[in-house]
Amino acid sequence: CGLAIASAKPIDQSESMTDDASSIWHTVIQADIHTWKSIANENSMAVGGISEEELIQRVDGTAFVGVMYDFVTTSPTGGKMQNVGFLHDQVKNKVSHLFGSDELASVLTLSAEIVLAAT
């Protein structure tokens, strides 16, 4: 997986590692961008946001959730692989900046946190 390759860089190249990982996560999200934008829009319009159950139902089967699940269940705990995960602050912030939408960043982060908690 590209994330494993990104994590193989020397620790002194952490910015390059973050850039590579962000690019990979951005591409994964782009595969289902219409779904994510729709959910983000609905979440921002609903009082208190959409329910966690509805979010889970809507995002199940997206490339992002699939890769996130694979990443969480197969990555060793600690180490450099954690630096390329979507929930790593630098990666998440860079991906959010690429999309330029706080609403989209919010549903992606919540979805990633749900996957993490479920494993």
Side-chain angles (χ1 to χ4, degrees), residues 29-85:
I29 295 162
Q30 284 284 47
D32 302 296
I33 194 63
H34 297 296
T35 299
W36 288 109
K37 284 184 176 181
S38 174
I39 294 167
N41 186 44
E42 289 177 35
N43 188 57
S44 69
M45 296 181 79
V47 175
I50 60 176
S51 70
E52 188 173 303
E53 293 79 21
E54 183 178 351
L55 178 63
I56 292 168
Q57 183 180 38
R58 300 270 312 273
V59 302
D60 188 39
T62 62
F64 175 74
V65 169
V67 171
M68 186 69 197
Y69 179 80
D70 288 346
F71 180 81
V72 169
T73 58
T74 61
S75 297
T77 305
K80 293 193 296 182
M81 276 303 284
Q82 298 308 308
N83 295 337
V84 298

Side-chain angles (χ1 to χ4, degrees), residues 82-113:
Q82 298 308 308
N83 295 337
V84 298
F86 179 79
L87 291 173
H88 186 272
D89 285 339
Q90 292 172 327
V91 173
K92 180 176 57 175
N93 292 341
K94 193 165 278 255
V95 173
S96 297
H97 179 73
L98 288 170
F99 283 114
S101 167
D102 291 340
E103 293 83 13
L104 183 56
S106 177
V107 295
L108 288 165
T109 300
L110 181 55
S111 297
E113 289 170 348

